[in-house]
């Protein structure tokens, strides 16, 4: 792929309003942007999506920065990379650090598609020119105001963050405002075995799904819960790899899966999990990590694959940001987002704004830091 150098930008982008879950509050979204430049002047962009503290996964912005600059990028620059898949094999000896790996691979995919003069969606086998999308409502937001806003925009699926012990009241309140809404809630792993009966009691609400009620990795409790409920259980944090997905399917721990490229180590692994779920007829959707437009564009390409049959967390740019990093915002029309047709991820980055937001930056070539 004739890589010339790789540049990282650590930025902080203010949110329109705080994003609140039971585990914490995010007021400014810190991300690491990765730009890979080839010898012909083309550049590919990726986004590294851990949070500032390890409340979602063990990775943070600082650990990812360190892994990328000290180990991952030097390793990749010292190996012949002809296809993004080559990076996966190259980094196999380095355990974990999935979000750091995923960000670099994302930039490689964007560059590769541009070199092939194809859209990323076309490059990975996407079949849709538009995708249906859903939206997340966090704790502390004005529920009725937000619901009316999002229903007007046509979002096709609604996910609530909830407080433990207050789930039914919140969900019933939503249905009182907007009956028959395609509604789910995200447990973010905050429940334990003693809460099993409480969760089962919500079966009568007719929810679209319940996402990740038990901690990551606990496939047994999810299996037991799914056996007792008609409501579909969806796995998120429990699936960090193809093997995790395969085990969950074999154990029948859930009926639905959420795939986030950052969580599973990149687009290559996400495609592999998609193909596995397609073979077993497991419905899937693309989750979100409060991405800027760069990461969101990658997610849109992924969600154009055929087994993504449930609207994902791919809302409009203005859902989270007063101003995104793109020259043209990602917009939702009647609950759908257009899959970009341009080469690569198909969006233009506002470099001036990226530079304005940058906290630190580094450029690395085959000879080291430039």
């Amino acid at each position: 792929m004739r890589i010339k150098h790789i540049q990282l930008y650590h930025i902080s982008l203010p949110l329109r309003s705080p994003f609140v879950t039971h585990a914490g509050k995010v007021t400014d979204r810190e991300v690491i942007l990765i730009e890979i430049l080839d010898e012909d002047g083309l550049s590919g962009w990726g986004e590294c999506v851990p949070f500032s503290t390890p409340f979602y996964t063990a990775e943070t912005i600082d650990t990812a920065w360190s892994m990328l600059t000290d180990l991952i990028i030097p390793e990749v620059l010292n190996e012949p990379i002809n296809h993004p898949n080559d990076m996966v094999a190259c980094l196999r000896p380095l355990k974990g650090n999935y979000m750091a790996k995923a960000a670099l691979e994302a930039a490689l995919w964007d560059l590769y598609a541009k070199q092939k003069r194809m859209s990323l969606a076309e490059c990975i086998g996407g079949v849709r020119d538009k995708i249906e999308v859903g939206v997340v409502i966090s704790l502390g937001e004005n529920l009725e105001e937000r619901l009316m806003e999002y229903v007007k925009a046509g979002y096709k699926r609604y996910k609530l963050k909830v407080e433990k012990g207050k789930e039914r009241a919140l969900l019933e309140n939503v249905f009182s405002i907007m009956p028959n809404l395609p509604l789910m809630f995200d447990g973010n792993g905050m429940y334990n075995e003693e809460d099993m009966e409480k969760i089962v009691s919500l079966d009568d609400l007719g929810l679209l799904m319940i996402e990740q009620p038990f901690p990551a990795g606990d496939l047994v409790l999810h299996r037991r819960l799914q056996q007792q409920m008609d409501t579909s259980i969806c796995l998120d944090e429990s699936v960090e790899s193809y093997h995790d997905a395969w085990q969950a399917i074999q154990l029948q721990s859930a009926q639905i899966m959420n795939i986030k490229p950052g969580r599973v180590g990149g687009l290559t692994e996400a495609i592999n999990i998609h193909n596995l779920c397609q073979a077993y007829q497991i419905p899937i959707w693309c989750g979100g990590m409060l991405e800027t437009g760069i990461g969101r564009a990658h997610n849109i390409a992924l969600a154009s694959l055929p087994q993504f049959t449930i609207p994902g967390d791919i809302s409009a740019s203005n859902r989270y940001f007063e101003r995104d990093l793109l020259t043209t915002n990602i917009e939702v029309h009647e609950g759908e987002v257009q899959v970009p047709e341009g080469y690569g991820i198909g969006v233009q980055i506002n470099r001036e704004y990226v530079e304005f937001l940058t906290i630190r930056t580094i450029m690395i070539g085959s000879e080291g830091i430039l």
Side-chain angles (χ1 to χ4, degrees):
M1 294 180 64
R2 308 183 310 280
I3 297 171
K4 183 179 179 182
H5 65 248
I6 298 174
Q7 185 156 5
L8 272 59
Y9 307 85
H10 175 188
I11 72 164
S12 181
L13 188 61
L15 297 179
R16 285 181 60 192
S17 59
F19 188 84
V20 185
T21 74
H22 80 283
K25 178 169 71 172
V26 179
T27 56
D28 295 90
R29 185 58 169 117
E30 289 187 74
V31 298
I32 299 169
L33 303 178
I34 300 181
E35 181 185 17
I36 301 180
L37 189 74
D38 75 3
E39 293 175 356
D40 296 322
L42 293 176
S43 63
W45 289 82
E47 180 173 337
C48 192
V49 295
F51 294 103
S52 304
T53 59
F55 71 84
Y56 176 71
T57 68
E59 284 182 89
T60 68
I61 288 292
D62 286 336
T63 64
W65 182 275
S66 177
M67 286 298 301
L68 283 162
T69 56
D70 296 345
L71 292 172
I72 292 174
I73 289 176
E75 186 69 27
V76 169
L77 286 173
N78 286 326
E79 295 290 336
I81 302 293
N82 298 309
H83 188 279
N85 291 348
D86 294 338
M87 195 202 89
V88 177
C90 168
L91 296 180
R92 194 163 286 127
L94 300 179
K95 304 303 181 186
N97 298 284
Y98 298 122
M99 293 181 178
K101 292 176 180 177
L104 184 59
E105 193 208 40
L108 282 170
W109 273 107
D110 183 29
L111 178 60
Y112 179 80
K114 287 171 178 171
Q115 289 176 343
K116 296 296 182 182
R117 302 177 68 82
M118 300 169 68
S119 71
L120 179 58
E122 180 186 8
C123 197
I124 64 173
V127 297
R128 300 184 179 94
D129 56 8
K130 294 180 181 179
I131 59 169
E132 293 187 336
V133 294
V135 70
V136 184
I137 302 174
S138 76
L139 295 170
E141 294 191 81
N142 185 316
L143 188 60
E144 185 167 358
E145 179 182 327
R146 288 299 190 207
L147 279 174
M148 300 306 293
E149 176 186 341
Y150 299 146
V151 168
K152 184 177 180 180
Y155 283 101
K156 306 293 186 182
R157 191 230 66 215
Y158 297 78
K159 180 167 82 173
L160 293 185
K161 300 291 185 179
V162 299
E163 291 184 70
K164 190 173 180 178
K166 300 180 180 180
E167 307 85 351
R168 178 175 287 275
L170 180 59
L171 294 164
E172 288 181 343
N173 185 27
V174 172
F175 282 132
S176 71
I177 298 168
M178 199 66 60
N180 304 314
L181 203 68
L183 183 65
M184 60 178 286
F185 80 87
D186 186 358
N188 278 130
M190 67 178 166
Y191 299 95
N192 52 45
E193 187 173 5
E194 288 71 31
D195 299 312
M196 185 79 68
E197 186 176 340
K198 178 192 301 179
I199 303 172
V200 171
S201 72
L202 302 174
D203 211 13
D204 65 301
L205 293 175
L207 299 172
L208 183 63
M209 70 185 87
I210 298 172
E211 183 183 5
Q212 192 69 41
F214 299 117
D218 199 332
L219 298 178
V220 173
L221 284 183
H222 285 103
R223 170 189 166 91
R224 284 174 50 193
L225 180 62
Q226 186 65 88
Q227 288 174 331
Q228 298 179 61
M229 299 191 76
D230 292 327
T231 304
S232 293
I233 303 303
C234 171
L235 294 181
D236 178 3
E237 293 97 319
S238 285
V239 178
E240 292 188 336
S241 67
Y242 177 94
H243 187 65
D244 288 344
W246 179 84
Q247 284 191 318
I249 291 170
Q250 300 309 307
L251 289 171
Q252 298 181 329
S253 297
Q255 294 177 345
I256 298 172
M257 287 190 197
N258 155 0
I259 299 178
K260 296 175 180 173
R263 193 190 70 235
V264 303
L267 197 55
T268 298
E269 190 78 345
I271 294 168
N272 290 338
I273 296 171
H274 164 275
N275 296 342
L276 174 71
C277 290
Q278 187 176 42
Y280 281 92
Q281 298 184 323
I282 303 293
I284 56 176
W285 52 282
C286 184
M289 289 289 294
L290 299 181
E291 291 94 346
T292 74
I294 294 171
R296 204 167 297 262
H298 282 276
N299 288 350
I300 291 170
L302 177 64
S304 71
L305 294 174
Q307 194 60 19
F308 284 91
T309 56
I310 297 173
D313 292 339
I314 308 176
S315 46
S317 292
N318 64 6
R319 163 65 181 94
Y320 296 117
F321 308 113
E322 291 287 355
R323 183 180 181 187
D324 205 342
L325 303 181
L326 310 179
T327 57
T328 303
N329 282 341
I330 293 170
E331 297 182 346
V332 172
H333 296 287
E334 299 182 354
E336 295 181 326
V337 167
Q338 186 76 37
V339 178
E341 297 178 349
Y343 298 150
I345 56 175
V347 296
Q348 298 298 315
I349 287 79
N350 186 333
R351 285 181 173 274
E352 183 178 344
Y353 192 42
V354 168
E355 291 172 4
F356 172 77
L357 296 169
T358 295
I359 298 169
R360 55 180 165 170
T361 185
I362 190 171
M363 184 184 296
I364 304 173
S366 59
E367 302 301 319
I369 297 174
L370 303 177

